[in-house]
Amino acid sequence: GEKVRFFNDTYVLDTVKHSWTLYTSPSAPPPRAAHASTVHGNSLFVFGGEFASPRQTQFKHFRDLWSLNLPTMEWTQLSPPKGNAPAARSGARMLTVKNTLLIFGGFIDPAGRQTKYLNDLTILDLDAEILEWKKVVLPLGSLEPSPRSAFRWEQVPAVPPGPTP
């Protein structure tokens, strides 16, 4: 079979010059694919993803959280000391609402067996003095999205109710 490679490159696109710049950092996260990412303030956050052996006979899902300081281009691994981090996964989606990081969905495939899609939601308040993961638990019988992976998830500005012009 064909061999695969995973990367931990960080490229930045200059939209004026239409050119890419490669930044290297000794503190960059390990190579991965199918991770979740979002930009908030001056930081790019990366969570989870997967790594595979060159012939894809072994897989590893990550459950780590990284922050790239955009002005300095330096990576830092964040280790919230409290709460339960989301399970290791690939294909999750992440965004921020105000100063709260939200991670939803993705998939796991323990020991390369049956793939299990997820529909859990975990949040992290980025303004808290001590970072703490919190799993969102809905009331019994609540409507919730079905398990999913690799979907599009966007924050859409709220539209005030009322007639449209």
Side-chain angles (χ1 to χ4, degrees):
E2 195 171 317
K3 290 185 178 183
V4 297
R5 290 183 56 198
F6 290 78
F7 299 93
N8 66 345
D9 300 347
T10 303
Y11 282 90
V12 175
L13 174 63
D14 182 323
T15 58
V16 174
K17 295 178 182 176
H18 302 284
S19 63
W20 291 95
T21 302
L22 172 63
Y23 288 89
T24 57
S25 170
S27 59
R32 65 190 63 212
H35 51 279
S37 64
T38 190
V39 173
H40 179 68
N42 287 329
S43 297
L44 167 74
F45 292 93
V46 170
F47 175 81
E50 65 184 54
F51 180 82
S53 60
R55 297 210 184 272
Q56 298 187 61
T57 56
Q58 296 177 332
F59 292 90
K60 176 182 180 178
H61 290 274
F62 294 101
R63 71 184 290 194
D64 51 355
L65 177 65
W66 292 82
S67 174
L68 175 64
N69 181 307
L70 296 171
T72 66
M73 297 304 289
E74 288 297 319
W75 285 100
T76 303
Q77 184 173 7
L78 303 176
S79 300
K82 296 185 75 182
N84 293 319
R89 65 190 65 205
S90 299
R93 292 298 179 252
M94 178 167 57
L95 59 77
T96 52
V97 175
K98 297 186 181 177
N99 291 319
T100 302
L101 190 85
L102 295 89
I103 298 173
F104 178 79
F107 71 91
I108 57 174
D109 49 4
R113 292 189 212 114
Q114 180 88 17
T115 299
K116 178 182 178 188
Y117 292 92
L118 307 168
N119 69 338
D120 58 332
L121 175 63
T122 305
I123 62 173
L124 185 68
D125 180 354
L126 298 172
D127 280 344
E129 252 182 68
I130 298 174
L131 295 178
E132 178 180 4
W133 291 109
K134 293 182 182 175
K135 184 173 171 74
V136 176
V137 179
L138 299 174
L140 195 59
S142 295
L143 183 64
E144 60 184 41
S146 60
R148 61 193 68 203
S149 172
F151 52 93
R152 184 172 175 146
W153 196 26
E154 292 184 37
Q155 181 179 1
V156 179
V159 178
T164 55

